[in-house]
Amino acid sequence: MAYRKTEEYDERVTEGLMKSYKDALQLLGEDSEREGLLKTPERMAKAMQYLTQGYELNAVDILNSAKFKEDVSEMVIVKDIELYSMCEHHMLPFFGKAHIAYIPNGYITGLSKLGRVVDVFARRLQVQERLTTQILGAIKEALNPLGVAVVIEAKHLCMMMRGVQKQNSVTTTSAFDGEFLHNHITRNEFLKLIASDLS
Ligand SMILES: Nc1nc2c(ncn2[C@@H]2O[C@H](COP(=O)(O)OP(=O)(O)OP(=O)(O)O)[C@@H](O)[C@H]2O)c(=O)[nH]1
Ligand SMILES: [Zn+2]
């Protein structure tokens, strides 16, 4: 299944999570029976299923669902794709932007599919490095392009709200393949274009 309706939840999973979240609220010193919290375990159970729905989605299928034969070999860049993910260490959000480029090799994909692929891998428990390479891997597999590049810039709430508490640090990760890996002129063109407001 390439797509999933956003408001569909597995009842068995919802029930199990609700029990755990109710316990968690009690353990944190809350009264899970007070009015404001009565529905909270259910809300959390649904929110967490939504935020991890990427496990059930197939990025390559999504790209292939709008794959078009096209005889172009100019770099395609989609930049500033917003993303929200959760770090696998603390289950706290990290969020920012992804910039994606590929050089077609006989096929292009629907532009929106690149944004969907970001969500497929972001809606899981992640580290930013793996998120970056998984996006690259899916594009490479589906389109067999002459090159792929992915750059992600993100802020991690686990470094802001707790722990080291650095409010302004931004983590940048990148992954390059094909022309972007072997040809520094192509890579620099991409990096220049994602830094520009006009690209
Ligand atoms: N490489 C990488 N590290 C991450 C990511 N998200 C969170 N982390 C880090 O994962 C590390 C987990 O380190 P631990 O020492 O096990 O956890 P901790 O005691 O909570 O660490 P502090 O956050 O330093 O308090 C921390 O340094 C986090 O900053 C990510 O996407 N990539
Ligand atoms: Zn973390």
Side-chain angles (χ1 to χ4, degrees), residues 86-90 92-94 126-131 154 156-159 162-165 171 173:
M86 269 189 303
C87 85
E88 67 185 19
H89 308 112
H90 303 96
L92 285 172
F94 64 92
Q126 274 291 10
V127 294
Q128 190 177 325
E129 294 90 332
R130 190 169 67 236
L131 173 60
H156 291 244
L157 284 186
C158 68
M159 286 177 65
R162 58 160 295 289
V164 70
Q165 302 195 21
T171 303
T173 47

Side-chain angles (χ1 to χ4, degrees), residues 82 121 138:
E82 66 267 36
F121 294 113

Side-chain angles (χ1 to χ4, degrees), residues 82-130:
E82 66 267 36
L83 73 89
Y84 295 90
S85 188
M86 269 189 303
C87 85
E88 67 185 19
H89 308 112
H90 303 96
M91 285 185 69
L92 285 172
F94 64 92
F95 59 96
K97 297 185 282 191
H99 313 293
I100 298 177
Y102 72 98
I103 302 173
N105 181 21
Y107 291 94
I108 56 172
T109 188
L111 293 174
S112 69
K113 306 306 178 198
L114 297 172
R116 290 187 185 278
V117 166
V118 169
D119 289 342
V120 166
F121 294 113
R123 290 180 180 152
R124 302 177 184 203
L125 299 186
Q126 274 291 10
V127 294
Q128 190 177 325
E129 294 90 332
R130 190 169 67 236

